[in-house]
Amino acid sequence: MNVIFVDSFSGEELLQMITQDVAGILAAAQGESVTFPVGHFKYEFHNLDFYEENGELRQELVIYVKKM
């Protein structure tokens, strides 16, 4: 599944990845902090989004974080 980390204040996409371990990524993101090259962030909330691409229904997990 496609997973995207987004800065909830600026709307900037911090990281996009494809993983089969969605539960593990979400659990790790909800920990004390998440570190990206642009700084440390804290989990705020997430959305499971569905969209259509080339006639196929796809889904992605969007994890919103705020800068610490």
Side-chain angles (χ1 to χ4, degrees), residues 1-5 13 15-19 21 25 61:
M1 177 187 290
N2 196 34
V3 177
I4 302 172
F5 285 86
E13 186 177 300
L15 175 71
Q16 182 174 356
M17 62 191 299
I18 296 175
T19 183
D21 186 15
I25 294 293
L61 177 65

Side-chain angles (χ1 to χ4, degrees), residues 2-60:
N2 196 34
V3 177
I4 302 172
F5 285 86
V6 175
D7 182 330
S8 60
F9 179 73
S10 69
E12 176 186 0
E13 186 177 300
L14 302 170
L15 175 71
Q16 182 174 356
M17 62 191 299
I18 296 175
T19 183
Q20 298 302 316
D21 186 15
V22 176
I25 294 293
L26 186 56
Q30 292 174 334
E32 191 167 318
S33 69
V34 181
T35 303
F36 297 100
V38 294
H40 299 286
F41 292 80
K42 180 124 181 92
Y43 171 87
E44 279 206 305
F45 63 96
H46 65 276
N47 285 333
L48 182 60
D49 292 338
F50 293 88
Y51 61 97
E52 187 175 329
E53 185 177 278
N54 299 325
E56 292 184 28
L57 186 61
R58 298 192 181 265
Q59 61 186 3
E60 66 185 8

